[in-house]
Structures are given as C-alpha cells and as structure tokens.
Amino acid sequence: MNFKIGLDLGSTAIKMVVLNGEEVVNRKHVPTAPGQEVRAQKLIDEALAELGISQNHIHGIVSTGYGKKLFMGANKHIDEITANALGLFKSNNGEACTIINIGGQDLKVLTLSDTGQVVDFKMNDKCAAGTGRFFELVARLLDTPIEDFEHLSRFAETELELNSTCVVFAESEIVSLLAKGESKDSIIKGLHSSVARRAAGLMGHMLLQGQGVIYLDGGPAQNKGLVEAMEDELLCEVKVLPYPQFTVAYGAALALDL
Ligand code: ADP
C-alpha cells in the first residue's frame, strides 16, 4: 500500500484525492469558505474512515491551488499549473496535449510537450467573464442550478449573443434579456458560446500550433453543453476526463514522488 493525498485548495472548491500507487481510491470536494485547513482536514478524515486506514498509512500530502499554503499538514506544495500538467499528462498516457482549465476565477490554457513539459501558458484572471464565477452569476440571475445548464442548453430554440466582455455588463445584459421575455435556455446557450469564444481567443496562436488533443478540465468541464460549444468554436474534438474537477488534485498527489 502506497497511499498519498493531493489537495487542491481552489478559489471556489477544495478538492481532495487519495491515491494508492497511481490509482485514485477516494475523491471528495467541499466549497471553499473561511477555515480552509479545517475543511480540508475533514475531507481527509472522511476519506480515511471510508478506506478503513489511519493517517499513519499516508506517505505524504501535497497541496496546490490558491490556498495551498494554508494547509500546514502538507509535506510539500506545488503550483496549480504544474499539478494540472502532471495530472492530465498521466491521464493522457504521456502524450502531448493542450489543456483549457476553467476554474472558479480564472481561465488558463497550457500546452504540454510529449515529455509533459509546459511549453506554452496563458491565463485570464483579470475578469470573471469566462470563469466559473460567470456561471455562478448566471445561475443566480436565472434561479437555476449550474448542474441543469447542460440539459437546458439542449432545449434552446435560439442562441442569444452575449456580447459583454465584462461580468458586470453581462449581468445587466442578461437582466435586459430576461425583461424582454427571452428564455433561460437561449441565455444559457449564449453563455456557453460566449465562454467558448473567450477560451478560443485566449488560445490564439497556441491553437494554430496544435499540440495534440485538446482537453477541457476544471469544474465547468462537467457541463457537456459547454464542451459542445467549445467544439463548435474550435472546430475540433474537445476531450473531458472523468471527474475533470479533480485533475489538479490528482497531479498534486503524483508530485509527492518527484
Ligand atoms: P477552483 O479550482 O478555482 O476552485 P473549480 O475547478 O473547482 O475551481 O471549478 C469551480 C467552478 O465549477 C464553479 O465556479 C462552477 O461554475 C463550476 N461547477 C461546479 N460544479 C459544477 C457542475 N456540476 N456542473 C457544471 N459546472 C460546475
């Protein structure tokens, strides 16, 4: 038994995976809130109880994400770009690829070489448009859970253009659309296209260089409506791993042995 833990203390959610060797044997997440260390430790305690093991069986813990230094129990911490690259490269059987990561408050694009090195990287963290926060805002405005966006976007008869490049203006744009009687479905479809355009814009020349297949990860990658909008925008297949919100935590755990 070679148990190790990866902890991704993100802006929106704390994600934890337990590995036995390289196999994920437990994963959990909880929203980010004050008291992150206690919340993260609770995830670990619950996982250990479910696995029937104690903290003594754990060889080490690696933390990553915005709050990585808040977890004092970590043996080491690494940046989230390295963790994302490690997790996805391993899952992609060690082949070159491009990763679009949408987190709670940023949008990143990473290009990995066939040795897993990050050879190109871009990030948009100046504005919430194109991030998980944008989805949360629209969910509140439409009084609809994010989990329903995928399903609802499929019912859209029309796709509305969301043109605002800033979340503050997008909020008024959506309120106006609702006031005009536009459907939630069409607004959500428009949101997916707007986020896909942002990601494609950020990719720019990286897309032209075309490193391997393209993956979408981070919490919003669970929304297949968004994935389809990305494919329409990029005109190629966009892959999503099972549990895309956990790739970074997985990569952190793998980093223990490096
Ligand atoms: P961070 O690492 O910055 O905390 P995550 O990768 O955990 O970010 O992504 C958080 C975002 O994921 C949330 O802001 C939300 O928009 C989105 N999200 C979470 N759960 C789901 C879901 N089931 N379906 C679609 N989107 C989701």
Side-chain angles (χ1 to χ4, degrees), residues 151-167:
H151 166 73
L152 289 172
S153 65
R154 297 225 160 92
F155 283 103
E157 285 173 7
T158 52
E159 175 184 319
L160 296 171
E161 283 254 335
L162 294 184
N163 292 313
S164 304
T165 50
C166 161
V167 161

Side-chain angles (χ1 to χ4, degrees), residues 4-10 13-19 21-22 24 26-29 43 60-65 76 78-88 91 101 217-218 241 243-256:
K4 49 199 169 217
I5 291 178
L7 260 184
D8 173 13
L9 295 111
I14 302 173
K15 282 80 62 181
M16 181 225 53
V17 299
V18 183
L19 303 193
E22 288 176 353
V24 178
N26 199 291
R27 60 174 75 75
K28 295 193 178 300
H29 68 103
L43 293 183
I61 301 176
V62 180
S63 65
T64 187
K76 68 173 170 182
I78 63 168
D79 68 85
E80 51 269 40
I81 294 149
T82 305
N84 199 351
L86 281 170
L88 214 138
S91 308
N101 176 288
D217 70 8
L241 293 168
Y243 310 105
Q245 200 173 5
F246 289 89
T247 322
V248 176
Y250 175 58
L254 292 173
L256 183 71

